Amino acid sequence: LQRRKRADITMRCLILAAGYGSRLGELTKNSPKPTIEINGRSIIDHIVSKLHTHGITEIIVNLHYLQDMMTNHLQDNVLYFYEPRLLGHKGTILALRKWFENEDFFVINGDTLSTLNYTSVIKAHRKDTITVCMDEYRAMGTWIYSPAYFQNQDIPIHPYRDTTVKWWDLGTPERLEEARKYYE
């Protein structure tokens, strides 16, 4: 039996995309925030494509606001988890326990873009921890959870920092414009 290296492990991912995007006002009045375009591609398409580049193809997206628009946009590229009422970050993870409980898994905010190298994050992840990708001050909307989380939500948190990474929380018009300038 040959042991596989950590970076070769198939990993699943949850993209959190159920919110209303209300801080973006008119931009999200009739469309979900993850479908907003940056350089000709939606935010969520950027995220899914980057995950695929790093070998992460088992992806589930939580939905609530304008869920039909999201499913029509993504079609069969991902799995879906509809929330009749918003569960939040922790609630969604716990509701999807059966899908994640056997291996480490990514959680990515559906309104966050970054230049993170997901393979490097996987290599840095420590067993029985939550790896949180951070800039100097705060989380960058990307985590790796160990399945130990389902037995103990207080497992250690391991910060992952790469000072070369650029990232954008696209929740405001100003940050959306910054990301558009970078990607265009």
Side-chain angles (χ1 to χ4, degrees), residues 7-146:
D8 295 334
I9 294 173
T10 301
M11 192 173 284
R12 291 179 169 178
C13 180
L14 165 62
I15 299 176
L16 298 169
Y20 292 96
S22 55
R23 292 180 295 161
L24 288 173
E26 288 297 314
L27 285 174
T28 53
K29 185 176 179 181
N30 297 309
S31 63
K33 183 171 24 173
T35 63
I36 293 173
E37 288 195 1
I38 293 181
N39 197 25
R41 293 174 64 200
S42 70
I43 296 166
I44 200 155
D45 287 341
H46 281 280
I47 295 169
V48 169
S49 176
K50 184 173 181 176
L51 287 165
H52 286 180
T53 299
H54 289 271
I56 302 161
T57 58
E58 293 186 53
I59 301 165
I60 193 164
V61 177
N62 76 326
L63 304 174
H64 177 76
Y65 178 62
L66 301 173
Q67 72 275 5
D68 291 339
M69 289 184 78
M70 288 290 291
T71 57
N72 289 337
H73 180 81
L74 289 166
Q75 298 181 12
D76 61 358
N77 290 322
V78 299
L79 298 172
Y80 302 98
F81 177 68
Y82 175 70
E83 298 177 8
R85 65 177 175 78
L86 293 173
L87 299 174
H89 185 117
K90 181 179 178 179
T92 301
I93 292 170
L94 294 175
L96 291 167
R97 176 184 185 142
K98 292 284 186 213
W99 205 61
F100 290 125
E101 69 184 349
N102 294 320
E103 61 190 43
D104 297 336
F105 59 96
F106 266 99
V107 176
I108 299 175
N109 289 345
D111 65 351
T112 301
L113 290 180
S114 75
T115 61
L116 271 168
N117 180 321
Y118 295 149
T119 302
S120 295
V121 179
I122 293 167
K123 287 178 183 178
H125 178 65
R126 297 178 186 166
K127 181 179 170 60
D128 298 334
T129 68
I130 298 169
T131 297
V132 57
C133 298
M134 300 185 70
D135 65 13
E136 189 176 341
Y137 304 107
R138 63 185 186 138
M140 295 191 290
T142 303
W143 302 261
I144 296 179
Y145 281 76
S146 295

Side-chain angles (χ1 to χ4, degrees), residues 24 27 36-39 43 113 168-184:
L24 288 173
L27 285 174
I36 293 173
E37 288 195 1
I38 293 181
N39 197 25
I43 296 166
L113 290 180
W168 301 268
D169 169 352
L170 304 169
T172 67
E174 297 78 24
R175 286 182 268 175
L176 182 61
E177 191 55 36
E178 285 176 27
R180 282 183 168 151
K181 285 178 183 172
Y182 178 83
Y183 280 90
E184 292 170 1

